[in-house]
Amino acid sequence: MLEGETLNMFDLLSTYLNWIKAVHIIFVIFWMAGLLYLPRLFVYHYNATPGSELDTVLQTQERKLLRIIMNPAMFVALFTGLLLVYVRHAEFGENWWLTIKLAFVFILFGFHGFLSKTRKRFAAGERPKSEKYFRVVNEIPAILTIFIVILAVVEPF
Ligand code: HEM
């Protein structure tokens, strides 16, 4: 870069592409950890008597997991993901891997919203669905992550 030349935003982001991708993957891991752990807490919470000591402990864990880890991690994963789309969009062309990846990610956003709503219902003393239901839905983020990571790394089509 010549003396006095200013880097525009696109050039700046391109220069730090791998740093952005590293931050993206780090916060994706934090978000996935929460999406995998919160349904597990609901499995234990389902059998906890409303108002009991276990109920209070699980309410605190669920609230902190969502507000301190999952929500911020989801926003940083989204923000860095959109920066990556902006920097690399010229190369994507007809590549369907990103479109299909984002469709799966959209399902993860929906799942996050469902878990957030369910947390409020448990905090209100409700016991929605069943213990088996939360054991089964616990697999959704794990299965989606397998497809998303293969699409993002292999870029098969
Ligand atoms: C939140 C919305 C998301 C957007 C907009 C997004 C977008 C992107 C884009 C554009 C890239 C760059 C691809 C490249 O430069 O090779 C990328 C990389 C990556 N994304 Fe995402 N992503 C999102 C969420 C996720 C999620 C939820 C996961 C995993 C569960 C994930 C896993 C990855 C991985 C592993 C890479 C690195 C691929 C590589 O270096 O080869 N992303 N993402």
Side-chain angles (χ1 to χ4, degrees), residues 15 24 43 62 64 68 75 89 94 98 110-111 117 147 150:
T15 309
H24 179 66
V43 169
E62 290 159 6
K64 288 187 173 175
I68 300 172
F75 286 114
H89 68 277
E94 290 308 307
L98 183 64
F111 188 68
K117 269 211 195 85
F147 289 109
I150 290 170

Side-chain angles (χ1 to χ4, degrees), residues 1-7:
M1 190 168 73
L2 295 175
E3 186 71 29
E5 244 186 17
T6 54
L7 266 183

Side-chain angles (χ1 to χ4, degrees), residues 35-73:
L35 288 176
L36 290 164
Y37 188 45
L38 192 49
R40 181 57 56 178
L41 288 176
F42 292 154
V43 169
Y44 305 131
H45 206 162
Y46 191 81
N47 296 315
T49 313
S52 66
E53 197 185 333
L54 178 59
D55 177 40
T56 312
V57 169
L58 288 169
Q59 281 189 39
T60 308
Q61 287 184 350
E62 290 159 6
R63 187 179 62 252
K64 288 187 173 175
L65 179 62
L66 200 68
R67 293 188 181 161
I68 300 172
I69 297 177
M70 292 171 67
N71 289 345

Side-chain angles (χ1 to χ4, degrees), residues 30-39 70 108 111-112 115 138 141:
F30 294 159
W31 185 29
M32 290 308 109
L35 288 176
L36 290 164
Y37 188 45
L38 192 49
M70 292 171 67
L108 285 178
F111 188 68
H112 183 112
L115 294 180
N138 201 177

